[in-house]
Amino acid sequence: MEWTATHVYLVSSGNADRLGQVWRSPKPAVPAAPVFEWTKIFDLTGGITTPSGEMDGGVNSYFREQSFALGPDGSACVLEYGATIKGGPSVYYSPNAASASPLWTKRQTFTDSKHGHGIKYINDGYWAMLGDAGFTNVGLWKGGQNGAGWQRRSVYEPAQGGNSLYGINLLPCTINGAQVILTDNDTKRGHSILMFPTQGAGNFPLIPFVNAPLPYGVGTVRSLAFTSEGNLFWVQTGEGGSAGPYDSMWLCPPPFREPVMLEAIPANNSLSTLGLVVESGDYLFVGNQRIRKEKFLGQ
């Protein structure tokens, strides 16, 4: 879900070709007993309404938890996830997602990428993370406020990660006065969290930021989030049983150099169905897991 002052947006999906939708409801007037009135505003199967008519999404496309992003001006972007999308994943843009019938324009197709992992409006434009390894156009890309003009921002040279360093969801934050993007690592190279500096117009490598120790610190990272105390939380999983002996949950206090393991589950890939983190009181909720939110000295 994405919430604004007036509306709520919901992304739904399934693991099948062109199975993904975006829904919108006015924000409920009574929080204690919310009533939603959902309207479908985007559908990968014949429901992308453009100025020239309706169109389908890419072959093999569907959605994941950060496939939809809202801009501060009411605009929105959708990024295709899925299996290997024929011709590459596309970004669709609407100038007003809250209008009665939003019109979408296909702004960009990343022709040599498997799929899009996440998209988010950060500072002055949209940012997207592309994967997977073996494709040329992986890594972090930036588009303008109107969802156009995409350029790759993470460098490609083999010595700096090449086509094998990329992330999943995007978490913008400020660390030591610098504006950065943190991203869950999806490369199974022994890193947990990657960082990218957003200030300035230059292209930079994705930098390893903090790592869980081996043998836990391999495999895909999911559900990256800050707690209300400012601690960094994530889940490390083998994803498909291809890396790591355990699934594990981690919490890392500032200055984000010493991660603390909350729990290790001795069953690889048992936490594969994960999404964004919800915090409520002393607990974090992700997927079907409820995790007690530990605190550190002075918190």
Side-chain angles (χ1 to χ4, degrees):
M1 281 184 170
E2 292 281 352
W3 294 73
T4 71
T6 58
H7 290 86
V8 184
Y9 296 86
L10 174 70
V11 176
S12 63
S13 188
N15 189 7
D17 180 28
R18 295 188 176 117
L19 186 56
Q21 301 169 342
V22 179
W23 300 78
R24 183 193 67 217
S25 170
K27 189 175 180 180
V30 184
V35 176
F36 296 93
E37 299 175 359
W38 296 107
T39 299
K40 185 170 62 177
I41 63 172
F42 188 102
D43 194 332
L44 287 170
T45 303
I48 303 172
T49 306
T50 71
S52 58
E54 290 190 347
M55 60 183 294
D56 290 330
V59 176
N60 296 324
S61 62
Y62 45 93
F63 290 150
R64 73 189 310 167
E65 67 270 11
Q66 207 179 79
S67 292
F68 175 76
L70 285 167
D73 58 353
S75 66
C77 274
V78 172
L79 175 65
E80 293 177 325
Y81 177 65
T84 302
I85 298 176
K86 185 177 181 180
S90 296
V91 170
Y92 303 86
Y93 169 82
S94 173
N96 187 358
S99 64
S101 299
L103 294 179
W104 299 89
T105 303
K106 184 186 289 188
R107 285 293 201 227
Q108 175 82 15
T109 297
F110 300 94
T111 55
D112 193 22
S113 293
K114 181 179 181 180
H115 48 215
H117 284 171
I119 188 167
K120 200 168 188 67
Y121 193 98
I122 301 172
N123 295 339
D124 58 351
Y126 288 94
W127 294 73
M129 183 66 75
L130 278 295
D132 276 349
F135 293 80
T136 300
N137 289 330
V138 302
L140 192 58
W141 292 67
K142 185 185 179 183
Q145 294 177 343
N146 62 351
W150 289 89
Q151 295 182 336
R152 182 177 174 141
R153 292 297 304 275
S154 60
V155 296
Y156 186 79
E157 286 75 12
Q160 295 166 313
N163 67 349
S164 58
L165 267 187
Y166 53 92
I168 303 181
N169 290 341
L170 307 176
L171 180 64
C173 60
T174 301
I175 297 178
N176 294 329
Q179 296 178 359
V180 302
I181 294 173
L182 300 183
T183 179
D184 348 46
N185 187 17
D186 189 37
T187 63
K188 304 179 179 68
R189 294 188 59 186
H191 309 308
S192 294
I193 312 302
L194 304 174
M195 181 185 71
F196 185 88
T198 59
Q199 292 174 313
N203 299 333
F204 307 98
L206 285 163
I207 304 166
F209 180 68
V210 61
N211 302 327
L214 296 176
Y216 305 100
V218 294
T220 292
V221 173
R222 296 292 302 276
S223 305
L224 180 66
F226 282 108
T227 69
S228 57
E229 293 81 17
N231 302 319
L232 194 60
F233 171 84
W234 73 88
V235 175
Q236 195 113 17
T237 172
E239 189 183 64
S242 58
Y246 304 100
D247 286 351
S248 51
M249 306 175 192
W250 297 83
L251 200 63
C252 190
F256 312 113
R257 292 294 178 263
E258 298 181 10
V260 176
M261 186 172 65
L262 299 178
E263 183 178 1
I265 301 175
N268 185 283
N269 202 38
S270 59
L271 298 175
S272 60
T273 305
L274 299 170
L276 300 179
V277 178
V278 175
E279 180 177 347
S280 179
D282 292 330
Y283 293 93
L284 303 173
F285 297 84
V286 55
N288 61 359
Q289 301 291 316
R290 186 185 76 165
I291 305 123
R292 181 171 179 83
K293 185 184 62 172
E294 302 295 341
K295 300 178 182 180
F296 297 94
L297 185 65
Q299 295 182 346

